[in-house]
Amino acid sequence: MTRNSLIFIAAGGSFALLAGAFLFQAIGYAPCQLCLWQRWPHAAAIVIGALVLAAGFSGRLWAWLGALAAAATGGIGIYHTGIERGWWQGPTSCTGSGDLGSGADLLSMDGPALVLCDQVSLWILGLSMASWNVIFSLAFMAIWIMAARR
């Protein structure tokens, strides 16, 4: 496989994961803060792939940057999965242990509801979406690395 083919697969995979995240959001699975953080590196990988494939940017540096983006989202996913499974404490701003203000704030119907990072809203084959993000992101990272080494 050529470098560009591998980049197409890796960036296309990030595009598919990001599209899937938006689809789940559209059907009612609101993302937590960590879910949103996981999206940004996928967006970066897509942009990197587009720069290489459509704009003609070349060189190994771009593939290494794609690998870094995939590693970043995978790392955030590992952190998020650990919070969901109770392996470690998460940020107090998005976990059940956080200070959510007064009771009156919780009863307010104004604004969106807080989605907690330590609560899994959807399990797929025994894994949360954060866990699936880790698996796919690490696979994409490996593909980006293969592209960089070509």
Side-chain angles (χ1 to χ4, degrees), residues 45 48 61-71 140-141 144:
I48 291 166
L61 172 65
W62 294 100
W64 285 113
L65 290 174
L68 180 63
F140 299 151
M141 182 184 72
W144 279 107

Side-chain angles (χ1 to χ4, degrees), residues 26-37:
I27 62 173
Y29 292 99
C32 71
Q33 188 63 44
L34 289 175
C35 293
L36 294 173
W37 289 358

Side-chain angles (χ1 to χ4, degrees), residues 17-75:
L17 283 183
L18 197 53
F22 283 118
L23 176 66
F24 277 109
Q25 184 175 344
I27 62 173
Y29 292 99
C32 71
Q33 188 63 44
L34 289 175
C35 293
L36 294 173
W37 289 358
Q38 290 172 82
R39 294 179 184 187
W40 287 105
H42 282 299
I46 294 165
V47 169
I48 291 166
L51 289 173
V52 171
L53 300 173
F57 285 41
S58 62
R60 292 183 171 163
L61 172 65
W62 294 100
W64 285 113
L65 290 174
L68 180 63
T73 190

